[in-house]
């Protein structure tokens, strides 16, 4: 399933062959707050096993997102970013409209995400704080990319 969406000078696509993996890895490992130090092999594996989205300005990648999903009941939105030089142009809003507009994701019973700073962006699409937080559990390893492997 490859889908594209054009908006002005920008293209949004699920075509993994268009993704600039070096750029995505550099952003996540050096400029994100959630994946500092992530190895490139992990980024590659995450893209291979997710529904991935690229944002492009004249074929240059300027944004990314991915959804880990079974395409039936559940999805986890992750690694959403727009390059700093392209922020303030509505690209993240358009990216989320593209993501949540896909038929393959519309019937999911539950979508989750984790964010420290983009609550307004996601609340437009129905996201809210966990209603029954005590039902959710997590195994969180924030330093997994910098910890020595035993």
């Amino acid at each position: 399933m490859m889908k594209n969406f054009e908006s002005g000078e920008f293209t949004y696509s699920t075509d993994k062959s268009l993704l600039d993996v070096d750029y995505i890895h550099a952003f996540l490992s050096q400029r994100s707050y959630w994946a500092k130090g992530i190895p490139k092999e992990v980024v590659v594996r995450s893209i291979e096993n997710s529904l991935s989205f690229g944002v492009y300005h004249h074929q240059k990648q300027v944004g990314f997102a991915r959804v880990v999903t079974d395409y039936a009941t559940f999805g986890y939105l992750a690694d959403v970013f727009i390059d700093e030089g392209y922020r303030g142009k509505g690209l993240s809003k358009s990216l989320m409209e593209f993501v949540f507009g896909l038929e393959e994701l519309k019937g999911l019973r539950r979508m989750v995400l984790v964010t420290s700073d983009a609550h307004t962006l996601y609340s437009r699409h129905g996201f809210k704080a966990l209603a029954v937080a005590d039902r959710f559990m997590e195994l969180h390893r924030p330093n997994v990319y910098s910890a020595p492997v035993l």
Side-chain angles (χ1 to χ4, degrees):
M1 164 208 72
M2 284 189 289
K3 307 277 186 191
N4 292 318
F5 167 69
E6 304 282 332
S7 178
E9 299 178 4
F10 297 92
T11 301
Y12 302 79
S13 180
T14 61
D15 185 347
K16 290 182 184 183
S17 72
L18 300 176
L19 294 172
D20 182 342
V21 176
D22 290 331
Y23 166 73
I24 295 166
H25 172 251
F27 189 98
L28 292 174
S29 67
Q30 299 166 21
R31 294 157 48 195
S32 75
Y33 66 82
W34 63 89
K36 286 264 191 246
I38 189 170
K40 185 174 180 183
E41 308 79 53
V42 174
V43 172
V44 168
R45 201 165 58 244
S46 73
I47 290 169
E48 288 172 352
N49 293 295
S50 299
L51 173 57
S52 299
F53 300 82
V55 181
Y56 307 91
H57 183 240
H58 304 297
Q59 288 80 46
K60 175 187 173 195
Q61 187 161 3
V62 299
F64 178 73
R66 65 188 183 90
V67 176
V68 181
T69 183
D70 61 6
Y71 295 98
T73 65
F74 181 80
Y76 172 68
L77 179 63
D79 295 335
V80 179
F81 70 83
I82 299 295
D83 193 277
E84 294 91 344
Y86 288 86
R87 292 180 187 167
K89 301 177 186 303
L91 299 179
S92 62
K93 292 179 189 84
S94 293
L95 176 57
M96 290 303 101
E97 288 172 15
F98 181 52
V99 169
F100 297 117
L102 286 182
E103 288 300 318
E104 295 84 352
L105 301 179
K106 285 184 179 179
L108 301 182
R109 184 176 63 239
R110 176 167 285 137
M111 288 275 294
V112 296
L113 61 85
V114 178
T115 186
S116 70
D117 59 359
H119 296 77
T120 303
L121 172 65
Y122 300 118
S123 66
R124 293 178 185 159
H125 298 280
F127 283 88
K128 44 186 118 167
L130 296 174
V132 282
D134 60 335
R135 290 186 186 179
F136 284 80
M137 296 177 67
E138 71 175 345
L139 173 58
H140 186 221
R141 300 180 205 161
N143 301 316
V144 69
Y145 306 126
S146 60
V149 178
L150 301 177

